[in-house]
Each structure stands twice: as C-alpha cells, then as structure tokens.
Amino acid sequence: MFRLLIWLLLGYIGFRIIKTLTAPKKPLSSSSTHHTGEETVQDPICKMYLAKEDAIVGTLNGTRHYFCSMDCLEKFREQLDHTHQS
Ligand SMILES: [Zn+2]
C-alpha cells in the first residue's frame, strides 16, 4: 500500500516535469508599443495605438486625427459626413 503511494507520487512528479518541459514557452520580451520618447496616438476607428510617425494624418474640420490605414481615415470621414447630414 505504501509502495503504491510512492509510485503514484513519482508518477505525478514525472507528469508535472514532462508537462513543464513540453509547455509552450512564452516570449519574455513583449513587443510594447510604448517606447520611450516616442509619441503614441490612437486610431479613433479601430481604437488601436500606433506610433505617431507611422500614423496617417488626416486633418478634418481643422482637427488632426491619426489613423492606422487609409481605410480607417475614410471610415472616419464617412462618419463625419453622416453626423453632419443628420
Ligand atoms: Zn485603424
């Protein structure tokens, strides 16, 4: 009976070790968008954050807006038109 418990314990430990070894490794360094000294802007359409230098700048109604792509800029422009019409 005691022997059986030992074997069960060893089996459990072995299982845990194998599980740890086979577990997918998570990347240690997460690619953060918040670099030091780099200004981050938010796309008002898809809500994603991007570096100001990578963003597409659209000046609409005298206000500067930053977009990740031309698609988002167009969507924003459409939304503005829509709100002005109604
Ligand atoms: Zn976008």
Side-chain angles (χ1 to χ4, degrees):
M1 187 62 196
F2 185 68
R3 242 168 189 271
L4 186 70
L5 278 171
I6 298 273
W7 281 114
L8 277 172
L9 193 70
L10 282 172
Y12 177 69
I13 291 165
F15 172 74
R16 284 297 295 267
I17 288 166
I18 288 162
K19 208 182 170 189
T20 314
L21 288 172
T22 53
K25 282 171 187 169
K26 284 171 189 171
L28 286 168
S29 57
S30 57
S31 55
S32 175
T33 48
H34 296 276
H35 299 291
T36 47
E38 198 174 293
E39 205 172 336
T40 315
V41 289
Q42 191 183 19
D43 186 320
I45 298 301
C46 63
K47 310 289 182 195
M48 76 174 277
Y49 288 94
L50 57 154
K52 201 174 183 178
E53 58 188 54
D54 295 334
I56 292 162
V57 187
T59 310
L60 300 154
N61 297 334
T63 317
R64 279 159 85 88
H65 298 278
Y66 299 90
F67 304 93
C68 69
S69 65
M70 283 304 289
D71 286 346
C72 283
L73 195 153
E74 288 300 322
K75 272 180 199 164
F76 191 76
R77 199 173 275 165
E78 277 172 31
Q79 277 188 14
L80 271 187
D81 289 346
H82 211 71
T83 46
H84 276 282
Q85 280 163 13
S86 56

